[in-house]
Amino acid sequence: MNILKKALVLSATLTSFGPGVAYSEGTVEVLHWWTSGGEARAVGELKEAFETQGGTWIDSPIAGGGGDAAMTALRARVIAGNPPTAVQLKGPGIQEWAREGVLNSVDAVAESENWDAVLPPVLADIMKFDGAYVAAPVNIHRVDWMWANPQALEAAGITEMPTTWDEFNAAADKLMAAGIIPLAHGGQPWQDATVFEDVVLGIGGADFFRKALVELDQEALQSDTMIAAFDQLRRMRGYVDANFSGRDWNLATGMVMRGEAGFQIMGDWAKGEFLAAGKVPGVDFLCAPTPGNGFVLNSDSFTFFKVEGDDNIEGQQVLASLIMSPEFQETFNLAKGSIPARTDVALDAFDTCALRSHEDLLAAIENDALVPSMAHEMAIPRSIRGEFLDLVTNFFNSDMSSEEAAQTLAAAVARAQ
Ligand code: BGC
């Protein structure tokens, strides 16, 4: 390790999160898509911590849930030879950029802080290229969550959160009869795909999910199980209101908050919205995993692009160290709705939804039921994910049969590979 790097690692290690002396500086331009109430609050924690350490933070938010607009903006920036210092980016996307030779390594920081010892191996692998860390994870989000308004459920005579899709349908019918929108949903491709993958897990189980949405197995894609998943999705189309098209996910969460809708199916960034609005889990809103067994994993991370200049490089190293500090992982995730990516952070300050997430994560690892999210870019290349999003959205917005959907999907995926 050269002297400059050593000094940087040392300063990154010495600086601790929280108010205190500014040991180091450095500049980062951070491209992200955290613009909703809960998201802005969470990324605000990161900005504040970085600035408290003496760094300069240049904020580059690109609105659009799920990050599709942000990824388009990123490509334009990289092609123009002007990449941001750090980008909210995840899954195989990290490897794709690394292969293009446009990332910087933060392995010196990772090594000196022994990240390997505190990250679940499945996450550590995603953050590395050729054995060196090029990204740092901030959290573990769970995609297969269902959020509900307890007063709305009560008004419709629903006493328990559904644990099977039949129970979900029965509860939705009751809400409808009571004049309450059963499912708050935003008709955007990534949101359609989020609901779809949760249904696939619930109907097919983790092995089927993996075959169909990760390994892209043709038989699984065309199977009766996939057809059954589309049938359930078709049923759910009947549970959304007339104005669902194009709605942002956080507006759908607002509908549940206000009791206009009973349920929302969305990852636990929705909890960040409830919390930012001062809502209390178990009182103002309920959380439960969507029906089925398993855990759909989504993890946000910051990836470090090839920038030059001591100030930018130092910014990357300081940011990497900060992101991985146990204190920051706690503060950030309390706001974001997720749980820490580090396995050694105490969860005492976290709510019951987060504890459930943690417990189910461990059980899913144990039972081989942990699956990476297709909708949230943890599973497959972006181009193939695009085929899923197109087809699922097309299905949701047409009267396509489930059989046709399964066949068309299989054919599109085969063509894209
Ligand atoms: C990200 C979350 C974000 C959500 C909605 C997901 O893909 O992982 O951090 O809150 O999209 O924008």
Side-chain angles (χ1 to χ4, degrees):
M1 202 190 305
N2 69 31
I3 300 221
L4 169 69
K5 260 203 176 150
K6 246 191 197 149
L8 290 173
V9 169
L10 191 65
S11 76
T13 315
L14 285 177
T15 50
S16 66
F17 168 70
V21 189
Y23 288 106
S24 69
E25 297 175 352
T27 297
V28 282
E29 187 209 340
V30 182
L31 189 145
H32 62 88
W33 67 88
W34 286 331
T35 54
S36 77
E39 291 174 336
R41 195 168 149 235
V43 74
E45 297 284 357
L46 184 56
K47 176 174 184 285
E48 195 188 316
F50 188 76
E51 289 175 343
T52 303
Q53 294 194 351
T56 305
W57 174 285
I58 302 166
D59 206 36
S60 290
I62 309 275
D68 289 298
M71 292 303 100
T72 306
L74 171 63
R75 181 148 292 279
R77 291 280 306 265
V78 177
I79 287 171
N82 175 31
T85 331
V87 179
Q88 181 195 348
L89 175 68
K90 49 195 169 169
I94 299 173
Q95 312 296 318
E96 286 173 33
W97 283 116
R99 276 195 295 275
E100 293 194 27
V102 293
L103 300 188
N104 269 349
S105 155
V106 289
D107 211 45
V109 180
E111 230 177 77
S112 90
E113 296 178 354
N114 204 4
W115 291 5
D116 276 348
V118 294
L119 286 178
V122 58
L123 274 196
D125 286 351
I126 295 173
M127 303 299 131
K128 292 183 194 173
F129 181 68
D130 270 352
Y133 280 90
V134 290
V138 286
N139 63 8
I140 292 179
H141 265 309
R142 181 180 197 175
V143 181
D144 50 321
W145 274 120
M146 190 164 55
W147 310 93
N149 180 303
Q151 288 78 34
L153 297 199
E154 202 186 325
I158 302 159
T159 51
E160 302 277 349
M161 285 293 262
T163 57
T164 65
W165 288 109
D166 284 345
E167 283 176 20
F168 177 85
N169 295 338
D173 289 340
K174 283 187 183 166
L175 284 160
M176 193 113 95
I180 300 167
I181 299 163
L183 185 62
H185 181 63
Q188 296 174 345
W190 72 273
Q191 293 188 62
D192 298 338
T194 297
V195 175
F196 167 74
E197 73 177 357
D198 291 346
V199 169
V200 167
L201 176 72
I203 302 246
D207 285 345
F208 177 78
F209 183 111
R210 222 172 272 132
K211 268 211 160 66
L213 304 192
V214 184
E215 293 160 15
L216 307 172
D217 178 84
Q218 278 290 312
E219 231 173 79
L221 288 168
Q222 297 172 52
S223 64
D224 288 348
T225 309
M226 185 56 83
I227 292 171
F230 277 113
D231 284 345
Q232 174 60 27
L233 198 62
R234 171 64 67 228
R235 177 119 190 206
M236 291 160 91
R237 171 66 181 82
Y239 294 141
V240 309
D241 67 317
N243 300 322
F244 79 101
S245 199
R247 176 187 289 137
D248 286 332
W249 66 274
N250 50 319
L251 301 184
T253 309
M255 291 165 67
V256 176
M257 272 184 218
R258 293 188 299 274
E260 288 164 26
F263 296 106
Q264 181 184 20
I265 290 176
M266 188 48 65
D268 39 19
W269 44 95
K271 194 183 77 185
E273 287 312 289
F274 284 110
L275 299 179
K279 305 289 179 196
V280 178
V283 178
D284 303 313
F285 68 96
L286 305 175
C287 63
T290 49
N293 287 314
F295 189 109
V296 183
L297 174 74
N298 176 24
S299 168
D300 291 306
S301 50
F302 281 95
T303 302
F304 301 100
F305 276 72
K306 210 175 232 10
V307 288
E308 283 165 12
D310 290 353
D311 190 43
N312 288 326
I313 307 276
E314 179 170 9
Q316 288 185 326
Q317 308 237 352
V318 171
L319 188 66
S321 175
L322 174 63
I323 284 173
M324 279 295 288
S325 75
E327 297 83 355
F328 171 74
Q329 293 247 331
E330 179 184 273
T331 316
F332 177 86
N333 286 299
L334 284 172
K336 188 70 175 67
S338 35
I339 56 176
R342 282 183 79 115
T343 51
D344 60 346
V345 176
L347 296 176
D348 305 341
F350 285 79
D351 60 33
T352 48
C353 307
L355 297 180
R356 175 76 196 263
S357 187
H358 182 247
E359 199 179 289
D360 288 359
L361 174 67
L362 297 183
I365 293 173
E366 179 82 27
N367 306 327
D368 201 19
L370 179 66
V371 292
S373 168
M374 175 279 292
H376 294 275
E377 308 212 31
M378 296 293 292
I380 50 177
R382 210 172 150 65
S383 54
I384 302 179
R385 167 187 174 264
E387 299 294 342
F388 276 93
L389 266 58
D390 284 354
L391 183 281
V392 169
T393 289
N394 199 350
F395 174 81
F396 207 73
N397 291 287
S398 70
D399 58 4
M400 188 189 291
S401 73
S402 300
E403 287 76 8
E404 190 187 341
Q407 268 168 26
T408 313
L409 177 61
V413 166
R415 269 197 313 274
Q417 270 175 295

